[in-house]
Amino acid sequence: MVALRKVETSPGFVFDVSVAGDPAAPLVLMLHGFGVSRHLWDAQVEALGQAGYFAAAPNQRGYSAGARPDPTDLEQYRIGHMIQDAMDLVEALGHGERRFHLVGHDWGGSLSWEIADRTPERLATLSMMSRPHPAAFTRAMRDDPEQPNRSRHHKGFLEPDAVPKLLADDAQWLRTRHALNGVPPAAVEKHLSVIGNTEAMEAALAWYRARGPGHRPTGPVTVPTLFVWGDKDDTVGRMAAEGTGDFIASPYSFVELPGVGHYAPDQMPERVSALLLEHIAKYPA
């Protein structure tokens, strides 16, 4: 069974975290991206817990009401703080300096690539959903005529009126995008219960506003890596996805899911759970 746990970290933040499994078992930390929440991983948290792991999926900084600095203070939403949040959560969940398995999607994927680059010794495996390696993405933005158009919403998120636009008509923009990417209606409601309000959405967009348009250079990944990409992903094109392998200096598996959009864990939960379990089992923590 998946349970909600309130986890306090050293800065005094309290994160809402979905957990399942024995807390003493190997940890699998799962980081969500924009437009969704910890609920993206509901099926995977349960499957991993049942398989003998301790699975944990937090609502990240700004998404958790108890870990929501003022979104106008963009310094509080720099990527370094979010990376530290992840490592603080690992410690607060009782895994100190132990190695763990890391899973990321979208923005949570960006954090995960960075963590793998900065502290590879902490990770047993890296699993990525719908977020290419930063160098592959940067190359695609330059060489793939379609990729800038796929990423055009990032610029829109920087506009001052982005939040009211996203939440207008009962969050119609998000509902439409989720539907086009195959997210079931029940999952959409779960995500909107977290981010479908002004305070949470302002904080979610602060991630983009604090980063700006650029990406920090990231080196080749030396952690065993799984990358899952749906060929109907509306934000990530084939060049960026297939090019990710050029930046992995470790055992690597690329899985393409035909007909699947940007939110594979919601759209194909059983398939994603099986892929994660297979990958993680090969490289024990």
Side-chain angles (χ1 to χ4, degrees), residues 16-285:
D16 299 327
V17 185
S18 298
V19 297
D22 180 357
L27 174 66
V28 184
L29 182 67
M30 316 183 81
L31 304 178
H32 67 81
F34 175 75
V36 287
S37 65
R38 63 186 171 90
H39 295 296
L40 177 74
W41 306 112
D42 282 355
Q44 290 74 44
V45 169
E46 183 172 7
L48 288 160
Q50 291 177 348
Y53 299 96
F54 180 42
N59 281 338
Q60 297 200 74
R61 178 178 292 231
Y63 293 76
S64 286
R68 184 177 294 155
D70 179 355
T72 65
D73 182 3
L74 296 184
E75 180 57 40
Q76 295 299 313
Y77 289 86
R78 303 296 184 195
I79 193 169
H81 291 305
M82 270 79 84
I83 291 170
Q84 190 60 51
D85 288 342
M87 304 309 288
D88 288 344
L89 280 164
V90 171
E91 182 173 358
L93 289 166
H95 285 254
E97 295 301 315
R98 295 167 59 184
R99 292 203 308 163
F100 62 98
H101 302 277
L102 182 60
V103 184
H105 169 263
D106 189 78
W107 247 115
S110 294
L111 301 186
S112 298
W113 287 121
E114 292 272 1
I115 292 169
D117 182 49
R118 299 181 187 197
T119 57
E121 70 281 357
R122 293 300 312 278
L123 301 185
T125 65
L126 177 67
S127 299
M128 197 64 56
M129 309 285 151
S130 308
R131 178 53 56 192
H133 186 281
F137 182 80
T138 298
R139 184 172 64 187
M141 286 290 287
R142 182 190 67 225
D143 297 342
D144 180 358
E146 293 185 358
Q147 190 58 57
N149 184 57
R150 290 175 181 270
S151 302
R152 65 189 183 281
H153 58 284
H154 292 186
K155 292 182 179 179
F157 291 167
L158 305 181
E159 296 298 324
D161 61 348
V163 169
K165 286 182 177 178
L166 289 174
L167 296 180
D169 300 322
D170 194 25
Q172 188 59 46
W173 187 90
L174 281 170
R175 291 181 183 278
T176 299
R177 178 156 188 260
H178 285 159
L180 290 173
N181 279 271
V183 180
V188 175
E189 296 306 322
K190 284 184 178 181
H191 298 316
L192 289 177
S193 74
V194 175
I195 62 169
N197 62 82
T198 298
E199 293 78 12
M201 188 60 72
E202 288 285 4
L205 293 193
W207 288 51
Y208 291 92
R209 293 164 174 169
R211 183 195 64 185
H215 295 266
R216 189 186 77 87
T218 306
V221 171
T222 58
V223 177
T225 299
L226 166 69
F227 180 37
V228 179
W229 173 71
D231 67 359
K232 298 301 182 185
D233 191 321
D234 62 348
T235 71
V236 177
R238 182 171 296 278
M239 181 182 291
E242 293 183 343
T244 288
D246 295 341
F247 304 96
I248 310 296
S250 191
Y252 177 61
S253 178
F254 173 65
V255 178
E256 178 179 338
L257 299 178
V260 173
H262 189 62
Y263 304 99
D266 267 337
Q267 189 175 358
M268 293 193 70
E270 293 181 359
R271 175 65 170 144
V272 169
S273 295
L275 289 168
L276 288 177
L277 286 165
E278 180 183 9
H279 177 59
I280 289 171
K282 291 179 183 176
Y283 309 99

